[in-house]
Amino acid sequence: EPEVTQTPSHQVTQMGQEVILRCVPISNHLYFYWYRQILGQKVEFLVSFYNNEISEKSEIFDDQFSVERPDGSNFTLKIRSTKLEDSAMYFCASSEKQRTSGKDTQYFGPGTRLTVL
Amino acid sequence: RKEVEQDPGPFNVPEGATVAFNCTYSNSASQSFFWYRQDCRKEPKLLMSVYSSGNEDGRFTAQLNRASQYISLLIRDSKLSDSATYLCVVTTPGSARQLTFGSGTQLTVLP
């Protein structure tokens, strides 16, 4: 069964450093997403991406965050200058655009645990 | 008021028990509804979509009441492997794809 993959599984960084989290969505999917989950809290939407541009973003996704699809397979989330409060699990997800149905199942990757020291 | 509200539990039930989870959502414009399950420190996995007519998948039954803005999940004949956190998820009003998650209800099935 095809799945979303993410690397690294755990990233430790110093406050103020830049990090790039990588995702490989399911190959025939067209929509890509990033969510985060702070330890003990709920999953929160960050951004969605379609046709090489951001389609929606949340208030959390400020100027410190950016996303990119640098090639045909990878989808990345960059945090320019990490803060302590960025420590969280970051999940990538993808979905296949369905023309005939409004429902579009999002499949999540295993996540990258980001620890900012 | 929280956008998606769930009883956090924990629910501790014996194997074979029937357990029901409830969820309410605040915005009547939400269009799509789901139950996901999340194992400890793992990714959310879709359990089932929820339709107004109600739907069943094996031991799992989901119901949606749009008038009351209420979603339910019933698990029959619970198994040890059902132990997880169950997340009520709705699409954000005005968006077909942005998911809004509840905080989850923790279930432990005991032998």
Side-chain angles (χ1 to χ4, degrees):
Chain A
E1 185 178 325
E3 56 185 24
V4 177
T5 59
Q6 292 186 240
T7 54
S9 57
H10 192 186
Q11 174 89 48
V12 181
T13 190
Q14 295 288 330
M15 191 169 59
Q17 295 296 304
E18 174 184 287
V19 294
I20 298 176
L21 310 183
R22 292 185 167 78
C23 168
V24 179
I26 294 172
S27 62
N28 64 333
H29 285 189
L30 300 177
Y31 275 86
F32 315 116
Y33 313 83
W34 285 101
Y35 291 81
R36 79 170 186 191
Q37 186 175 29
I38 295 170
L39 187 63
Q41 297 187 24
K42 64 181 181 179
V43 177
E44 300 173 290
F45 170 80
L46 293 178
V47 65
S48 62
F49 191 86
Y50 171 71
N51 200 24
N52 283 318
E53 60 183 23
I54 291 173
S55 52
E56 296 173 80
K57 61 182 181 178
S58 71
E59 292 176 353
I60 303 168
F61 194 88
D62 61 22
D63 293 344
Q64 294 297 313
F65 292 89
S66 62
V67 289
E68 195 177 34
R69 187 156 163 83
D71 53 43
S73 59
N74 289 285
F75 178 52
T76 62
L77 174 69
K78 182 192 289 186
I79 309 174
R80 265 180 268 282
S81 177
T82 50
K83 306 182 186 71
L84 296 176
E85 55 265 36
D86 293 328
S87 293
M89 182 75 95
Y90 288 81
F91 293 110
C92 175
S94 69
S95 66
E96 178 183 18
K97 184 178 182 183
Q98 294 177 355
R99 294 180 183 177
T100 57
S101 169
K103 291 195 181 294
D104 204 0
T105 301
Q106 295 185 24
Y107 295 89
F108 284 74
T112 293
R113 181 168 300 283
L114 176 65
T115 302
V116 182
L117 303 174
Chain B
R1 183 181 172 186
K2 292 181 186 176
E3 292 178 87
V4 179
E5 198 146 2
Q6 297 182 248
D7 181 344
F11 283 60
N12 299 316
V13 302
E15 261 186 298
T18 295
V19 60
F21 302 137
N22 303 319
C23 166
T24 56
Y25 59 97
S26 61
N27 196 315
S28 58
S30 298
Q31 295 185 341
S32 299
F33 310 89
F34 310 91
W35 284 100
Y36 277 73
R37 70 169 277 168
Q38 186 175 29
D39 294 289
C40 188
R41 295 177 177 257
K42 301 282 189 183
E43 73 274 25
K45 291 188 177 177
L46 179 69
L47 182 64
M48 57 199 306
S49 300
V50 188
Y51 305 106
S52 297
S53 54
N55 48 303
E56 187 174 312
D57 183 2
R59 299 181 293 108
F60 299 86
T61 301
Q63 294 278 353
L64 167 65
N65 184 322
R66 283 188 184 268
S68 303
Q69 294 176 209
Y70 171 93
I71 307 163
S72 66
L73 177 68
L74 185 77
I75 305 176
R76 289 182 299 279
D77 188 23
S78 50
K79 313 288 185 194
L80 296 177
S81 56
D82 294 334
S83 297
T85 297
Y86 288 83
L87 307 174
C88 179
V89 184
V90 308
T91 49
T92 303
S95 165
R97 302 180 188 281
Q98 181 179 156
L99 299 181
T100 300
F101 285 76
S103 299
T105 299
Q106 187 181 342
L107 171 67
T108 302
V109 181
L110 304 168

mmCIF file with all atom_site columns, all heavy atoms in Angstrom, chain B residues 62-84:
data_model
loop_
_atom_site.group_PDB
_atom_site.id
_atom_site.type_symbol
_atom_site.label_atom_id
_atom_site.label_alt_id
_atom_site.label_comp_id
_atom_site.label_asym_id
_atom_site.label_entity_id
_atom_site.label_seq_id
_atom_site.pdbx_PDB_ins_code
_atom_site.Cartn_x
_atom_site.Cartn_y
_atom_site.Cartn_z
_atom_site.occupancy
_atom_site.B_iso_or_equiv
_atom_site.pdbx_formal_charge
_atom_site.auth_seq_id
_atom_site.auth_comp_id
_atom_site.auth_asym_id
_atom_site.auth_atom_id
_atom_site.pdbx_PDB_model_num
ATOM 1   N N   . ALA B 1 62 ? -20.669 4.923  12.680 1.00 0.00 ? 62 ALA B N   1
ATOM 2   C CA  . ALA B 1 62 ? -20.576 6.369  12.879 1.00 0.00 ? 62 ALA B CA  1
ATOM 3   C C   . ALA B 1 62 ? -21.912 7.010  12.522 1.00 0.00 ? 62 ALA B C   1
ATOM 4   O O   . ALA B 1 62 ? -22.599 6.560  11.609 1.00 0.00 ? 62 ALA B O   1
ATOM 5   C CB  . ALA B 1 62 ? -19.463 6.948  12.015 1.00 0.00 ? 62 ALA B CB  1
ATOM 6   N N   . GLN B 1 63 ? -22.253 8.035  13.278 1.00 0.00 ? 63 GLN B N   1
ATOM 7   C CA  . GLN B 1 63 ? -23.496 8.762  13.024 1.00 0.00 ? 63 GLN B CA  1
ATOM 8   C C   . GLN B 1 63 ? -23.216 10.261 13.031 1.00 0.00 ? 63 GLN B C   1
ATOM 9   O O   . GLN B 1 63 ? -22.354 10.733 13.775 1.00 0.00 ? 63 GLN B O   1
ATOM 10  C CB  . GLN B 1 63 ? -24.519 8.471  14.135 1.00 0.00 ? 63 GLN B CB  1
ATOM 11  C CG  . GLN B 1 63 ? -25.010 7.038  14.202 1.00 0.00 ? 63 GLN B CG  1
ATOM 12  C CD  . GLN B 1 63 ? -26.126 6.749  13.211 1.00 0.00 ? 63 GLN B CD  1
ATOM 13  O OE1 . GLN B 1 63 ? -26.628 7.656  12.563 1.00 0.00 ? 63 GLN B OE1 1
ATOM 14  N NE2 . GLN B 1 63 ? -26.504 5.488  13.092 1.00 0.00 ? 63 GLN B NE2 1
ATOM 15  N N   . LEU B 1 64 ? -23.984 10.966 12.229 1.00 0.00 ? 64 LEU B N   1
ATOM 16  C CA  . LEU B 1 64 ? -23.876 12.421 12.172 1.00 0.00 ? 64 LEU B CA  1
ATOM 17  C C   . LEU B 1 64 ? -25.265 13.012 12.355 1.00 0.00 ? 64 LEU B C   1
ATOM 18  O O   . LEU B 1 64 ? -26.206 12.587 11.694 1.00 0.00 ? 64 LEU B O   1
ATOM 19  C CB  . LEU B 1 64 ? -23.304 12.854 10.810 1.00 0.00 ? 64 LEU B CB  1
ATOM 20  C CG  . LEU B 1 64 ? -23.401 14.326 10.435 1.00 0.00 ? 64 LEU B CG  1
ATOM 21  C CD1 . LEU B 1 64 ? -22.557 15.186 11.377 1.00 0.00 ? 64 LEU B CD1 1
ATOM 22  C CD2 . LEU B 1 64 ? -22.965 14.541 8.987  1.00 0.00 ? 64 LEU B CD2 1
ATOM 23  N N   . ASN B 1 65 ? -25.381 13.975 13.237 1.00 0.00 ? 65 ASN B N   1
ATOM 24  C CA  . ASN B 1 65 ? -26.626 14.715 13.413 1.00 0.00 ? 65 ASN B CA  1
ATOM 25  C C   . ASN B 1 65 ? -26.309 16.178 13.153 1.00 0.00 ? 65 ASN B C   1
ATOM 26  O O   . ASN B 1 65 ? -25.771 16.881 14.015 1.00 0.00 ? 65 ASN B O   1
ATOM 27  C CB  . ASN B 1 65 ? -27.161 14.509 14.833 1.00 0.00 ? 65 ASN B CB  1
ATOM 28  C CG  . ASN B 1 65 ? -28.514 15.180 15.045 1.00 0.00 ? 65 ASN B CG  1
ATOM 29  O OD1 . ASN B 1 65 ? -28.763 16.267 14.537 1.00 0.00 ? 65 ASN B OD1 1
ATOM 30  N ND2 . ASN B 1 65 ? -29.381 14.515 15.782 1.00 0.00 ? 65 ASN B ND2 1
ATOM 31  N N   . ARG B 1 66 ? -26.623 16.618 11.944 1.00 0.00 ? 66 ARG B N   1
ATOM 32  C CA  . ARG B 1 66 ? -26.268 18.000 11.561 1.00 0.00 ? 66 ARG B CA  1
ATOM 33  C C   . ARG B 1 66 ? -27.056 19.019 12.371 1.00 0.00 ? 66 ARG B C   1
ATOM 34  O O   . ARG B 1 66 ? -26.555 20.083 12.707 1.00 0.00 ? 66 ARG B O   1
ATOM 35  C CB  . ARG B 1 66 ? -26.533 18.218 10.070 1.00 0.00 ? 66 ARG B CB  1
ATOM 36  C CG  . ARG B 1 66 ? -25.479 17.608 9.168  1.00 0.00 ? 66 ARG B CG  1
ATOM 37  C CD  . ARG B 1 66 ? -25.725 18.033 7.730  1.00 0.00 ? 66 ARG B CD  1
ATOM 38  N NE  . ARG B 1 66 ? -24.791 17.410 6.811  1.00 0.00 ? 66 ARG B NE  1
ATOM 39  C CZ  . ARG B 1 66 ? -23.628 17.946 6.441  1.00 0.00 ? 66 ARG B CZ  1
ATOM 40  N NH1 . ARG B 1 66 ? -23.244 19.102 6.942  1.00 0.00 ? 66 ARG B NH1 1
ATOM 41  N NH2 . ARG B 1 66 ? -22.849 17.316 5.588  1.00 0.00 ? 66 ARG B NH2 1
ATOM 42  N N   . ALA B 1 67 ? -28.304 18.713 12.688 1.00 0.00 ? 67 ALA B N   1
ATOM 43  C CA  . ALA B 1 67 ? -29.133 19.668 13.427 1.00 0.00 ? 67 ALA B CA  1
ATOM 44  C C   . ALA B 1 67 ? -28.540 19.947 14.808 1.00 0.00 ? 67 ALA B C   1
ATOM 45  O O   . ALA B 1 67 ? -28.534 21.083 15.288 1.00 0.00 ? 67 ALA B O   1
ATOM 46  C CB  . ALA B 1 67 ? -30.551 19.138 13.548 1.00 0.00 ? 67 ALA B CB  1
ATOM 47  N N   . SER B 1 68 ? -28.015 18.903 15.427 1.00 0.00 ? 68 SER B N   1
ATOM 48  C CA  . SER B 1 68 ? -27.425 19.041 16.762 1.00 0.00 ? 68 SER B CA  1
ATOM 49  C C   . SER B 1 68 ? -25.920 19.270 16.705 1.00 0.00 ? 68 SER B C   1
ATOM 50  O O   . SER B 1 68 ? -25.291 19.469 17.755 1.00 0.00 ? 68 SER B O   1
ATOM 51  C CB  . SER B 1 68 ? -27.691 17.791 17.601 1.00 0.00 ? 68 SER B CB  1
ATOM 52  O OG  . SER B 1 68 ? -29.070 17.544 17.690 1.00 0.00 ? 68 SER B OG  1
ATOM 53  N N   . GLN B 1 69 ? -25.349 19.192 15.496 1.00 0.00 ? 69 GLN B N   1
ATOM 54  C CA  . GLN B 1 69 ? -23.902 19.366 15.317 1.00 0.00 ? 69 GLN B CA  1
ATOM 55  C C   . GLN B 1 69 ? -23.151 18.371 16.193 1.00 0.00 ? 69 GLN B C   1
ATOM 56  O O   . GLN B 1 69 ? -22.267 18.735 16.988 1.00 0.00 ? 69 GLN B O   1
ATOM 57  C CB  . GLN B 1 69 ? -23.503 20.829 15.592 1.00 0.00 ? 69 GLN B CB  1
ATOM 58  C CG  . GLN B 1 69 ? -24.101 21.761 14.562 1.00 0.00 ? 69 GLN B CG  1
ATOM 59  C CD  . GLN B 1 69 ? -23.842 23.232 14.827 1.00 0.00 ? 69 GLN B CD  1
ATOM 60  O OE1 . GLN B 1 69 ? -24.637 24.075 14.448 1.00 0.00 ? 69 GLN B OE1 1
ATOM 61  N NE2 . GLN B 1 69 ? -22.760 23.557 15.476 1.00 0.00 ? 69 GLN B NE2 1
ATOM 62  N N   . TYR B 1 70 ? -23.516 17.142 16.008 1.00 0.00 ? 70 TYR B N   1
ATOM 63  C CA  . TYR B 1 70 ? -23.077 16.069 16.883 1.00 0.00 ? 70 TYR B CA  1
ATOM 64  C C   . TYR B 1 70 ? -22.678 14.861 16.041 1.00 0.00 ? 70 TYR B C   1
ATOM 65  O O   . TYR B 1 70 ? -23.348 14.504 15.075 1.00 0.00 ? 70 TYR B O   1
ATOM 66  C CB  . TYR B 1 70 ? -24.281 15.734 17.785 1.00 0.00 ? 70 TYR B CB  1
ATOM 67  C CG  . TYR B 1 70 ? -24.179 14.526 18.649 1.00 0.00 ? 70 TYR B CG  1
ATOM 68  C CD1 . TYR B 1 70 ? -23.717 14.610 19.951 1.00 0.00 ? 70 TYR B CD1 1
ATOM 69  C CD2 . TYR B 1 70 ? -24.613 13.279 18.195 1.00 0.00 ? 70 TYR B CD2 1
ATOM 70  C CE1 . TYR B 1 70 ? -23.669 13.497 20.768 1.00 0.00 ? 70 TYR B CE1 1
ATOM 71  C CE2 . TYR B 1 70 ? -24.558 12.163 19.001 1.00 0.00 ? 70 TYR B CE2 1
ATOM 72  C CZ  . TYR B 1 70 ? -24.090 12.287 20.289 1.00 0.00 ? 70 TYR B CZ  1
ATOM 73  O OH  . TYR B 1 70 ? -24.043 11.178 21.106 1.00 0.00 ? 70 TYR B OH  1
ATOM 74  N N   . ILE B 1 71 ? -21.535 14.272 16.411 1.00 0.00 ? 71 ILE B N   1
ATOM 75  C CA  . ILE B 1 71 ? -21.025 13.104 15.703 1.00 0.00 ? 71 ILE B CA  1
ATOM 76  C C   . ILE B 1 71 ? -20.753 12.023 16.737 1.00 0.00 ? 71 ILE B C   1
ATOM 77  O O   . ILE B 1 71 ? -20.301 12.325 17.850 1.00 0.00 ? 71 ILE B O   1
ATOM 78  C CB  . ILE B 1 71 ? -19.697 13.442 14.988 1.00 0.00 ? 71 ILE B CB  1
ATOM 79  C CG1 . ILE B 1 71 ? -19.852 14.675 14.093 1.00 0.00 ? 71 ILE B CG1 1
ATOM 80  C CG2 . ILE B 1 71 ? -19.198 12.275 14.154 1.00 0.00 ? 71 ILE B CG2 1
ATOM 81  C CD1 . ILE B 1 71 ? -18.515 15.294 13.704 1.00 0.00 ? 71 ILE B CD1 1
ATOM 82  N N   . SER B 1 72 ? -21.015 10.792 16.377 1.00 0.00 ? 72 SER B N   1
ATOM 83  C CA  . SER B 1 72 ? -20.751 9.707  17.322 1.00 0.00 ? 72 SER B CA  1
ATOM 84  C C   . SER B 1 72 ? -20.006 8.567  16.637 1.00 0.00 ? 72 SER B C   1
ATOM 85  O O   . SER B 1 72 ? -20.033 8.417  15.425 1.00 0.00 ? 72 SER B O   1
ATOM 86  C CB  . SER B 1 72 ? -22.058 9.195  17.927 1.00 0.00 ? 72 SER B CB  1
ATOM 87  O OG  . SER B 1 72 ? -22.842 8.585  16.923 1.00 0.00 ? 72 SER B OG  1
ATOM 88  N N   . LEU B 1 73 ? -19.338 7.790  17.469 1.00 0.00 ? 73 LEU B N   1
ATOM 89  C CA  . LEU B 1 73 ? -18.659 6.575  17.012 1.00 0.00 ? 73 LEU B CA  1
ATOM 90  C C   . LEU B 1 73 ? -18.967 5.477  18.013 1.00 0.00 ? 73 LEU B C   1
ATOM 91  O O   . LEU B 1 73 ? -18.777 5.669  19.220 1.00 0.00 ? 73 LEU B O   1
ATOM 92  C CB  . LEU B 1 73 ? -17.155 6.791  16.924 1.00 0.00 ? 73 LEU B CB  1
ATOM 93  C CG  . LEU B 1 73 ? -16.333 5.560  16.535 1.00 0.00 ? 73 LEU B CG  1
ATOM 94  C CD1 . LEU B 1 73 ? -16.602 5.160  15.089 1.00 0.00 ? 73 LEU B CD1 1
ATOM 95  C CD2 . LEU B 1 73 ? -14.837 5.817  16.736 1.00 0.00 ? 73 LEU B CD2 1
ATOM 96  N N   . LEU B 1 74 ? -19.447 4.362  17.508 1.00 0.00 ? 74 LEU B N   1
ATOM 97  C CA  . LEU B 1 74 ? -19.745 3.207  18.348 1.00 0.00 ? 74 LEU B CA  1
ATOM 98  C C   . LEU B 1 74 ? -18.808 2.073  17.954 1.00 0.00 ? 74 LEU B C   1
ATOM 99  O O   . LEU B 1 74 ? -18.676 1.755  16.770 1.00 0.00 ? 74 LEU B O   1
ATOM 100 C CB  . LEU B 1 74 ? -21.200 2.779  18.139 1.00 0.00 ? 74 LEU B CB  1
ATOM 101 C CG  . LEU B 1 74 ? -21.713 1.652  19.016 1.00 0.00 ? 74 LEU B CG  1
ATOM 102 C CD1 . LEU B 1 74 ? -22.002 2.185  20.415 1.00 0.00 ? 74 LEU B CD1 1
ATOM 103 C CD2 . LEU B 1 74 ? -22.971 1.018  18.427 1.00 0.00 ? 74 LEU B CD2 1
ATOM 104 N N   . ILE B 1 75 ? -18.169 1.492  18.940 1.00 0.00 ? 75 ILE B N   1
ATOM 105 C CA  . ILE B 1 75 ? -17.302 0.335  18.702 1.00 0.00 ? 75 ILE B CA  1
ATOM 106 C C   . ILE B 1 75 ? -17.920 -0.849 19.443 1.00 0.00 ? 75 ILE B C   1
ATOM 107 O O   . ILE B 1 75 ? -18.090 -0.813 20.660 1.00 0.00 ? 75 ILE B O   1
ATOM 108 C CB  . ILE B 1 75 ? -15.865 0.581  19.210 1.00 0.00 ? 75 ILE B CB  1
ATOM 109 C CG1 . ILE B 1 75 ? -15.271 1.849  18.611 1.00 0.00 ? 75 ILE B CG1 1
ATOM 110 C CG2 . ILE B 1 75 ? -14.986 -0.637 18.889 1.00 0.00 ? 75 ILE B CG2 1
ATOM 111 C CD1 . ILE B 1 75 ? -13.896 2.209  19.152 1.00 0.00 ? 75 ILE B CD1 1
ATOM 112 N N   . ARG B 1 76 ? -18.242 -1.861 18.680 1.00 0.00 ? 76 ARG B N   1
ATOM 113 C CA  . ARG B 1 76 ? -18.811 -3.086 19.285 1.00 0.00 ? 76 ARG B CA  1
ATOM 114 C C   . ARG B 1 76 ? -17.728 -4.131 19.434 1.00 0.00 ? 76 ARG B C   1
ATOM 115 O O   . ARG B 1 76 ? -16.734 -4.153 18.690 1.00 0.00 ? 76 ARG B O   1
ATOM 116 C CB  . ARG B 1 76 ? -19.924 -3.635 18.394 1.00 0.00 ? 76 ARG B CB  1
ATOM 117 C CG  . ARG B 1 76 ? -21.191 -2.806 18.368 1.00 0.00 ? 76 ARG B CG  1
ATOM 118 C CD  . ARG B 1 76 ? -22.247 -3.480 17.484 1.00 0.00 ? 76 ARG B CD  1
ATOM 119 N NE  . ARG B 1 76 ? -21.780 -3.608 16.111 1.00 0.00 ? 76 ARG B NE  1
ATOM 120 C CZ  . ARG B 1 76 ? -21.825 -2.623 15.223 1.00 0.00 ? 76 ARG B CZ  1
ATOM 121 N NH1 . ARG B 1 76 ? -22.313 -1.457 15.562 1.00 0.00 ? 76 ARG B NH1 1
ATOM 122 N NH2 . ARG B 1 76 ? -21.387 -2.815 14.005 1.00 0.00 ? 76 ARG B NH2 1
ATOM 123 N N   . ASP B 1 77 ? -17.920 -5.039 20.406 1.00 0.00 ? 77 ASP B N   1
ATOM 124 C CA  . ASP B 1 77 ? -17.002 -6.161 20.593 1.00 0.00 ? 77 ASP B CA  1
ATOM 125 C C   . ASP B 1 77 ? -15.544 -5.678 20.581 1.00 0.00 ? 77 ASP B C   1
ATOM 126 O O   . ASP B 1 77 ? -14.727 -6.131 19.769 1.00 0.00 ? 77 ASP B O   1
ATOM 127 C CB  . ASP B 1 77 ? -17.237 -7.206 19.497 1.00 0.00 ? 77 ASP B CB  1
ATOM 128 C CG  . ASP B 1 77 ? -16.454 -8.485 19.722 1.00 0.00 ? 77 ASP B CG  1
ATOM 129 O OD1 . ASP B 1 77 ? -16.085 -8.755 20.888 1.00 0.00 ? 77 ASP B OD1 1
ATOM 130 O OD2 . ASP B 1 77 ? -16.181 -9.200 18.727 1.00 0.00 ? 77 ASP B OD2 1
ATOM 131 N N   . SER B 1 78 ? -15.227 -4.767 21.442 1.00 0.00 ? 78 SER B N   1
ATOM 132 C CA  . SER B 1 78 ? -13.915 -4.111 21.414 1.00 0.00 ? 78 SER B CA  1
ATOM 133 C C   . SER B 1 78 ? -12.772 -5.113 21.614 1.00 0.00 ? 78 SER B C   1
ATOM 134 O O   . SER B 1 78 ? -12.893 -6.096 22.361 1.00 0.00 ? 78 SER B O   1
ATOM 135 C CB  . SER B 1 78 ? -13.847 -2.994 22.450 1.00 0.00 ? 78 SER B CB  1
ATOM 136 O OG  . SER B 1 78 ? -14.266 -3.446 23.706 1.00 0.00 ? 78 SER B OG  1
ATOM 137 N N   . LYS B 1 79 ? -11.691 -4.855 20.902 1.00 0.00 ? 79 LYS B N   1
ATOM 138 C CA  . LYS B 1 79 ? -10.483 -5.687 20.929 1.00 0.00 ? 79 LYS B CA  1
ATOM 139 C C   . LYS B 1 79 ? -9.356  -4.923 21.607 1.00 0.00 ? 79 LYS B C   1
ATOM 140 O O   . LYS B 1 79 ? -9.369  -3.685 21.637 1.00 0.00 ? 79 LYS B O   1
ATOM 141 C CB  . LYS B 1 79 ? -10.036 -6.037 19.504 1.00 0.00 ? 79 LYS B CB  1
ATOM 142 C CG  . LYS B 1 79 ? -11.132 -6.518 18.577 1.00 0.00 ? 79 LYS B CG  1
ATOM 143 C CD  . LYS B 1 79 ? -11.592 -7.896 18.926 1.00 0.00 ? 79 LYS B CD  1
ATOM 144 C CE  . LYS B 1 79 ? -12.606 -8.401 17.905 1.00 0.00 ? 79 LYS B CE  1
ATOM 145 N NZ  . LYS B 1 79 ? -13.305 -9.604 18.405 1.00 0.00 ? 79 LYS B NZ  1
ATOM 146 N N   . LEU B 1 80 ? -8.374  -5.656 22.076 1.00 0.00 ? 80 LEU B N   1
ATOM 147 C CA  . LEU B 1 80 ? -7.205  -5.004 22.677 1.00 0.00 ? 80 LEU B CA  1
ATOM 148 C C   . LEU B 1 80 ? -6.576  -4.019 21.687 1.00 0.00 ? 80 LEU B C   1
ATOM 149 O O   . LEU B 1 80 ? -6.099  -2.941 22.062 1.00 0.00 ? 80 LEU B O   1
ATOM 150 C CB  . LEU B 1 80 ? -6.157  -6.045 23.093 1.00 0.00 ? 80 LEU B CB  1
ATOM 151 C CG  . LEU B 1 80 ? -6.566  -7.021 24.191 1.00 0.00 ? 80 LEU B CG  1
ATOM 152 C CD1 . LEU B 1 80 ? -5.445  -8.030 24.439 1.00 0.00 ? 80 LEU B CD1 1
ATOM 153 C CD2 . LEU B 1 80 ? -6.918  -6.301 25.477 1.00 0.00 ? 80 LEU B CD2 1
ATOM 154 N N   . SER B 1 81 ? -6.590  -4.390 20.398 1.00 0.00 ? 81 SER B N   1
ATOM 155 C CA  . SER B 1 81 ? -5.975  -3.555 19.366 1.00 0.00 ? 81 SER B CA  1
ATOM 156 C C   . SER B 1 81 ? -6.747  -2.263 19.091 1.00 0.00 ? 81 SER B C   1
ATOM 157 O O   . SER B 1 81 ? -6.255  -1.393 18.368 1.00 0.00 ? 81 SER B O   1
ATOM 158 C CB  . SER B 1 81 ? -5.849  -4.338 18.060 1.00 0.00 ? 81 SER B CB  1
ATOM 159 O OG  . SER B 1 81 ? -7.115  -4.825 17.661 1.00 0.00 ? 81 SER B OG  1
ATOM 160 N N   . ASP B 1 82 ? -7.942  -2.136 19.673 1.00 0.00 ? 82 ASP B N   1
ATOM 161 C CA  . ASP B 1 82 ? -8.696  -0.885 19.517 1.00 0.00 ? 82 ASP B CA  1
ATOM 162 C C   . ASP B 1 82 ? -8.165  0.206  20.442 1.00 0.00 ? 82 ASP B C   1
ATOM 163 O O   . ASP B 1 82 ? -8.561  1.364  20.333 1.00 0.00 ? 82 ASP B O   1
ATOM 164 C CB  . ASP B 1 82 ? -10.182 -1.104 19.813 1.00 0.00 ? 82 ASP B CB  1
ATOM 165 C CG  . ASP B 1 82 ? -10.859 -2.011 18.793 1.00 0.00 ? 82 ASP B CG  1
ATOM 166 O OD1 . ASP B 1 82 ? -10.380 -2.085 17.638 1.00 0.00 ? 82 ASP B OD1 1
ATOM 167 O OD2 . ASP B 1 82 ? -11.858 -2.657 19.158 1.00 0.00 ? 82 ASP B OD2 1
ATOM 168 N N   . SER B 1 83 ? -7.292  -0.145 21.373 1.00 0.00 ? 83 SER B N   1
ATOM 169 C CA  . SER B 1 83 ? -6.733  0.850  22.298 1.00 0.00 ? 83 SER B CA  1
ATOM 170 C C   . SER B 1 83 ? -5.974  1.909  21.513 1.00 0.00 ? 83 SER B C   1
ATOM 171 O O   . SER B 1 83 ? -5.029  1.599  20.783 1.00 0.00 ? 83 SER B O   1
ATOM 172 C CB  . SER B 1 83 ? -5.797  0.176  23.309 1.00 0.00 ? 83 SER B CB  1
ATOM 173 O OG  . SER B 1 83 ? -6.492  -0.753 24.112 1.00 0.00 ? 83 SER B OG  1
ATOM 174 N N   . ALA B 1 84 ? -6.411  3.146  21.652 1.00 0.00 ? 84 ALA B N   1
ATOM 175 C CA  . ALA B 1 84 ? -5.844  4.261  20.883 1.00 0.00 ? 84 ALA B CA  1
ATOM 176 C C   . ALA B 1 84 ? -6.563  5.527  21.313 1.00 0.00 ? 84 ALA B C   1
ATOM 177 O O   . ALA B 1 84 ? -7.462  5.482  22.155 1.00 0.00 ? 84 ALA B O   1
ATOM 178 C CB  . ALA B 1 84 ? -6.035  4.046  19.375 1.00 0.00 ? 84 ALA B CB  1
#
